[in-house]
Amino acid sequence: MNILIKLLVNGIIAVPGLWWSGTSLTFAVLTSIVVSLIAYALGDALILPKTNNTFATTADFIMVFALFWISSYVFAQPYHLPGILLTAFVITVAEYFFHSYLQHHGVHHSKHPG
């Protein structure tokens, strides 16, 4: 259930953001799905339980921005770097609240939420 929430929220933000940044709609949809799955596996399932919300959110920003930028470059998509940066930032804001949701619904942490 949590992964579906993440895919939906990130998709609502990432698809228009990437498309506005100059990429194709198909690329925006596929990249949104792949980056969301990677971010869930690394950020939400691995980093968040071992650290706190602030650290996991910062890691998510770096990871999402890097993955959007690298995938745009590798797949020769036209892009505007400020658009990708803004899209990653808005996703990061949503991630902060998603992490809070996870913390209140059963994700066990070794440290107090940040």
Side-chain angles (χ1 to χ4, degrees):
M1 176 70 170
N2 293 335
I3 187 68
L4 294 177
I5 294 170
K6 182 171 187 95
L7 285 167
L8 181 64
V9 171
N10 282 1
I12 289 170
I13 298 166
V15 171
L18 288 172
W19 198 23
W20 176 74
S21 298
T23 66
S24 71
L25 181 59
T26 303
F27 177 82
V29 171
L30 293 175
T31 303
S32 171
I33 293 168
V34 171
V35 168
S36 294
L37 293 173
I38 292 170
Y40 186 81
L42 295 177
D44 301 337
L46 186 65
I47 296 172
L48 182 62
K50 295 179 181 178
T51 62
N52 60 33
N53 193 354
T54 303
F55 187 84
T57 302
T58 303
D60 273 336
F61 172 74
I62 294 167
M63 181 175 25
V64 168
F65 174 71
L67 289 171
F68 283 165
W69 187 26
I70 291 167
S71 61
S72 294
Y73 179 77
V74 167
F75 292 103
Q77 288 292 310
Y79 64 90
H80 302 290
L81 198 56
I84 290 176
L85 184 63
L86 180 62
T87 303
F89 177 76
V90 175
I91 287 175
T92 302
V93 172
E95 284 292 317
Y96 181 83
F97 294 106
F98 182 66
H99 292 163
S100 295
Y101 167 81
L102 289 177
Q103 289 173 328
H104 289 98
H105 290 91
V107 175
H108 302 287
H109 301 278
S110 59
K111 295 187 176 185
H112 297 293

